Amino acid sequence: MSGRTFIVEADGGSRGNPGPAGYGAVVMDADGGTLHETAEYIGHATNNVAEYKGLIAGLRAAHALDPDATVRVRMDSKLVVEQMSGRWKIKHPDMRPLATEAKGIFPPGAVSYEWIPREKNKHADRLANEAMDAGKAGKQWEGGASTAELDAAPVDEPDSGPEQLAPAPAAPTAGWAVDLGTPTTLVLLRHGETALTPEKRFSGSGASGTDPELSAAGRKQAEAVAASLAERGTVQAVVASPLRRCQETAAAVAARLGLDVRTDEGLRETDFGAWEGLTFAEARERYPEDLAAWLASPDARPTGGGESFAEVAHRVAVARDKILARYANRTVLLVTHVTPVKTLVRLALGAPPESLFRMELSAASLSAVAYYADGNASLRLLNDTAHLR
């Protein structure tokens, strides 16, 4: 650990439970000085969903300040504190993926949880109310523009003990209830072929010195998908992995669409360590135990210190959240790799890590996920290759 200690206070509320909801979080130093504030209106959701989203936002803000810090979380939600401390089971299906996401932001043991009375959580409570007030006015929360009364109180669940584990009313599934407005849509494009693609060789993050360019076939694929996307005319921004094969694919599309390419490190492929350049059969022959462990657990790393699927999922989720915040209610093309695309699909579906091995993604294929204001996601497309026929 770096020796730095942060205090995160977080809160969330729903005016109706479920109803219009928002969260607030503040990161402070060990002496209580404010380092960062964040808040967001999240649309129609329950109190508990808003509280968990506030926790996640606070932890991500602390992680951005110092990923090696020790964090003390203080919340007035006994439910979240007890569940995150491991003393209460997480039974409700809406809570489990949020708790898993929160646990993955810092290493195990780096975060502790403390329940505090509501009157001691006024800073985060105020931010949550500001976010809900902004949402009611059709705006996004902006730091330094306080509008809510300090003690304005969104409706909370009664903190009466373990019986709170009974399922809370679920937030409506996207598309089935209220009109949640225009979603933010991420169109997920796997890069075109390289020389390694037809041979199905591990081709990762370039950490081992491999960063192949598109092959002649890959360049044709990039032009074909560019023409298809230009005809559809829906893409409003392009974000790409820093690796050459994605940059080249993105450049072909962006040139056709008249857009610039923004690069995000979080979209790079997995670091496959010593398996770079090998086929699956070659890796199994040389490193059978390591490969078997990798297939069995999302926490296992490839031989030679590569990345686990859990580590990749964390950075991809961070990149996703940044992109969703930057391009709210727009359609964004992400030009990336097999693992990031499958991970975004898996997270959208709430599917387990082993689902990564049950998806097929062709070179230059398109997938799409829509993200709604209530936190729900909807898979719209998977492995579309019609433009290549």
Side-chain angles (χ1 to χ4, degrees):
M1 296 293 179
S2 67
R4 297 185 72 184
T5 298
F6 294 142
I7 299 169
V8 170
E9 293 182 353
D11 199 10
S14 169
R15 293 169 178 170
N17 196 27
Y23 67 73
V26 56
V27 182
M28 297 176 286
D29 59 27
D31 296 323
T34 299
L35 301 175
H36 184 82
E37 291 180 333
T38 184
E40 185 179 3
Y41 173 70
I42 60 173
H44 197 89
T46 65
N47 288 325
N48 296 151
V49 166
E51 288 164 344
Y52 263 107
K53 286 186 175 290
L55 168 63
I56 290 167
L59 289 175
R60 290 207 185 284
H63 189 274
L65 292 171
D66 186 349
D68 297 318
T70 299
V71 180
R72 294 165 50 202
V73 173
R74 302 195 300 212
M75 298 181 68
D76 62 39
S77 171
K78 194 169 183 65
L79 179 72
V80 175
V81 169
E82 294 298 317
Q83 287 180 342
M84 292 301 297
S85 299
R87 293 185 289 268
W88 289 4
K89 291 182 179 181
I90 305 173
K91 295 182 179 180
H92 198 281
D94 288 350
M95 302 301 108
R96 286 195 292 267
L98 296 173
T100 299
E101 184 176 354
K103 289 176 182 177
I105 296 172
F106 278 92
V111 182
S112 61
Y113 291 87
E114 174 189 356
W115 178 83
I116 57 174
R118 175 176 222 153
E119 59 269 19
K120 292 187 177 180
N121 200 30
K122 287 186 175 181
H123 193 155
D125 178 80
R126 170 174 57 81
L127 294 172
N129 275 280
E130 288 179 8
M132 286 184 280
D133 287 348
K136 184 178 180 180
K139 301 177 181 178
Q140 290 294 325
W141 177 85
E142 295 182 8
S146 298
T147 59
E149 293 297 327
L150 197 62
D151 56 357
V155 179
D156 273 334
E157 83 289 339
D159 289 329
S160 57
E163 61 270 18
Q164 292 173 293
L165 294 177
T173 303
W176 284 89
V178 297
D179 182 3
L180 298 172
T182 303
T184 304
T185 301
L186 301 186
V187 179
L188 312 175
L189 170 60
R190 184 191 172 192
H191 61 79
E193 285 188 11
T194 73
L196 300 178
T197 307
E199 299 178 11
K200 295 186 180 295
R201 295 186 178 274
F202 284 101
S203 182
S205 68
S208 302
T210 57
D211 190 7
E213 63 183 0
L214 293 179
S215 63
R219 288 191 288 274
K220 289 181 180 178
Q221 291 170 339
E223 291 298 333
V225 74
S228 177
L229 290 171
E231 184 176 353
R232 298 182 193 190
T234 55
V235 172
Q236 297 166 287
V238 180
V239 184
S241 155
L243 299 182
R244 184 182 304 176
R245 52 199 184 272
C246 287
Q247 289 288 315
E248 291 176 347
T249 303
V253 176
R256 187 71 70 97
L257 299 179
L259 298 171
D260 295 326
V261 177
R262 187 179 186 89
T263 299
D264 193 311
E265 288 285 337
L267 297 178
R268 69 184 187 278
E269 181 57 289
T270 307
D271 179 355
F272 291 115
W275 304 345
E276 286 284 341
L278 302 181
T279 65
F280 187 88
E282 289 169 343
R284 183 169 52 191
E285 180 180 353
R286 298 184 194 184
Y287 310 103
E289 294 182 0
D290 289 351
L291 187 64
W294 181 71
L295 294 172
S297 171
D299 297 313
R301 293 179 174 178
T303 307
E307 288 180 290
S308 69
F309 281 136
E311 291 168 325
V312 174
H314 171 65
R315 66 169 165 82
V316 168
V318 171
R320 174 203 62 196
D321 291 349
K322 290 192 300 183
I323 291 166
L324 292 177
R326 177 181 289 274
Y327 300 104
N329 310 120
R330 300 169 71 184
T331 297
V332 186
L333 179 70
L334 305 191
V335 187
T336 181
H337 309 263
V338 169
T339 311
V341 172
K342 288 184 176 182
T343 297
L344 288 166
V345 170
R346 177 182 78 78
L347 294 174
L349 295 175
E354 57 265 28
S355 65
L356 294 176
F357 301 115
R358 300 172 185 172
M359 291 182 244
E360 178 68 25
L361 286 177
S362 303
S365 65
L366 289 167
S367 303
V369 179
Y371 298 85
Y372 290 86
D374 66 347
N376 281 306
S378 175
L379 179 65
R380 297 296 184 86
L381 190 69
L382 182 68
N383 196 40
D384 177 20
T385 57
H387 49 279
L388 303 178
R389 298 170 192 162

